Amino acid sequence: MRCLVTGAAGFIGSHLCNELLAQGNEVWGIDNMSEGRHERIKHLFNNRRFKFAICSISEKQILFKAIQQCDIIYHLAAVVGVKHYVEDPVKVMEVNLVYTFDLLEFAWKLNKKVVFASTSEVYGKNNTIPFSETSARVYGPATANRWCYAISKSAAEHLCFGYAQQGLSMVIIRYFNVYGPHADGSAYGGVATRFIIQALTNNPLTVHGDGNQTRCFTYINDIVKGTIDAGSKPEAEGKIFNLGHYHEVSILELAQLILTLSGNKGNIIFQPYEEFYGSYFEDIPRRVPDLTAAERILGYYPRVSLEEGLKKTIAWYRHRLSR
Ligand code: UDP
């Protein structure tokens, strides 16, 4: 298969390219390098089955030609990271929805399959746990910028279904708090990576609010496997799948675990949401997936425990920081 991966130099995109190549596929990656990092894909440049172009999905002609020449599109290019949602909702809607509209239109016209990377954020602050793929999506007011990401991905999911109704072959996957080597450790990145870097650099771990909010952290290898299986199993066609982990952990517990696993005696500080995100912010109190559909149809199971995944990730960042 020739696979097109958008967002190929991103955290998940780069791991996906690795595995698609390892499975014998040809991979064409594109990334505009806004959040993409050369370091994540540089080892692939001497693989003759890998081609990469610095290009935005807004460049319609290039996108069209790339789609024309591929069999399947893994659409991962997006603005991701809660601080981005708060600071730049226009960019979020533009990339995640408007450009995705073009991509889906091209894929539909050219009769190519799309694997659309969506997010557990679409469930919003629904308080009925766990979230199954048919759970309601519950958001706050438009004055809380945070919801623009969920809205952009939700709307793009509707587009996927709309085009599917007209014949597009597609599958949607919703990722739950993915972590692992190469994840973004900046203020725009996910909490697990931020805590690991804080611990390894002997800085206090910054827990937002009271730290009782929960998430289910999922190691990158499980996510990549689930993504490829979603794209390749015929029974998955036209469906949505949660890809996550069962282990629910509070953010405070996560901080304590990372301190222990990194052998750091550092401390934890509680930071008000407003101080980090700006004046008005709404968090998601609990986020837990129902993985029944993914288990039944994809044979998905999160194999890497939180402790094991964190140990691997800590070791990787320790090595990287030492260089
Ligand atoms: N969080 C935190 N400290 C940080 C970064 C994030 O306590 O330095 C919290 C954040 O407020 C949220 C949770 O960790 O409650 C998960 O945040 P993340 O940005 O990883 O993504 P989310 O799951 O909210 O999409």
Side-chain angles (χ1 to χ4, degrees):
M1 293 268 269
R2 185 181 286 161
C3 312
L4 175 65
V5 177
T6 71
F11 161 47
I12 302 177
S14 58
H15 284 275
L16 180 63
C17 290
N18 286 340
E19 187 56 28
L20 287 169
L21 288 163
Q23 293 187 8
N25 298 288
E26 203 178 315
V27 175
W28 287 17
I30 57 173
D31 200 300
N32 68 356
M33 302 310 272
S34 59
E35 300 295 321
R37 298 286 171 266
H38 178 256
E39 136 183 72
R40 295 185 179 126
I41 50 168
K42 62 175 195 281
H43 61 286
L44 299 177
F45 290 136
N46 51 17
N47 186 326
R48 285 170 47 211
R49 284 182 286 111
F50 183 66
K51 285 193 173 58
F52 179 76
I54 297 179
C55 152
S56 163
I57 51 167
S58 65
E59 295 175 62
K60 292 190 188 188
Q61 286 186 340
I62 302 179
L63 185 65
F64 187 86
K65 281 192 181 143
I67 292 176
Q68 203 166 30
Q69 294 174 66
C70 288
D71 304 303
I72 182 167
I73 305 133
Y74 292 89
H75 180 34
L76 276 71
V79 178
V80 183
V82 182
K83 223 167 149 51
H84 283 300
Y85 320 154
V86 175
E87 290 175 1
D88 201 347
V90 172
K91 192 88 205 148
V92 170
M93 300 301 273
E94 184 179 43
V95 176
N96 299 359
L97 181 58
V98 179
Y99 301 156
T100 295
F101 206 144
D102 295 331
L103 183 142
L104 292 171
E105 169 92 12
F106 296 161
W108 169 69
K109 276 191 177 141
L110 294 164
N111 206 16
K112 304 297 166 119
K113 180 165 189 169
V114 177
V115 178
F116 176 60
S118 188
T119 170
S120 53
E121 177 95 2
V122 296
Y123 298 107
K125 54 183 180 178
N126 183 338
N127 55 18
T128 308
I129 298 291
F131 300 146
S132 82
E133 289 79 355
T134 50
S135 291
R137 298 162 295 177
V138 182
Y139 306 138
T143 43
N145 281 358
R146 190 245 161 82
W147 302 115
C148 72
Y149 178 65
I151 300 278
S152 71
K153 287 285 186 178
S154 276
E157 289 189 2
H158 279 291
L159 283 174
C160 289
F161 279 106
Y163 279 108
Q165 213 166 301
Q166 298 176 34
L168 175 75
S169 169
M170 69 85 190
V171 57
I172 296 170
I173 45 193
R174 292 177 175 164
Y175 296 143
F176 282 71
N177 290 77
V178 190
Y179 70 101
H182 282 296
D184 180 7
S186 77
Y188 296 86
V191 65
T193 319
R194 277 179 60 71
F195 283 173
I196 289 172
I197 291 177
Q198 287 169 338
L200 294 178
T201 54
N202 295 313
N203 282 299
L205 274 57
T206 52
V207 169
H208 298 163
D210 59 13
N212 287 326
Q213 66 275 34
T214 71
R215 297 291 186 271
C216 294
F217 294 91
T218 317
Y219 192 65
I220 183 67
N221 292 14
D222 285 325
I223 287 294
V224 166
K225 185 173 185 315
T227 302
I228 295 176
D229 289 341
S232 59
K233 299 220 182 229
E235 315 87 273
E237 179 75 36
K239 297 192 172 66
I240 307 179
F241 296 97
N242 287 336
L243 295 182
H245 205 292
Y246 293 108
H247 185 166
E248 181 181 15
V249 66
S250 78
I251 298 302
L252 183 55
E253 286 165 340
L254 176 77
Q256 286 158 342
L257 183 58
I258 288 175
L259 282 179
T260 308
L261 295 177
S262 60
N264 184 307
K265 292 179 210 61
N267 60 330
I268 290 171
I269 56 168
F270 293 89
Q271 186 178 34
Y273 286 107
E274 292 69 31
E275 195 181 295
F276 187 71
Y277 296 108
S279 55
Y280 185 59
F281 182 77
E282 289 193 3
D283 200 2
I284 291 169
R286 286 180 76 191
R287 181 189 283 159
V288 181
D290 177 339
L291 298 171
T292 316
E295 270 183 25
R296 189 165 44 83
I297 296 173
L298 305 181
Y300 172 86
Y301 189 82
R303 288 172 173 76
V304 184
S305 71
L306 180 61
E307 194 163 322
E308 187 190 346
L310 286 176
K311 277 186 190 163
K312 287 183 187 192
T313 312
I314 290 168
W316 187 86
Y317 277 99
R318 197 188 293 282
H319 178 68
R320 182 174 184 246
L321 291 169
S322 71
R323 279 187 292 151

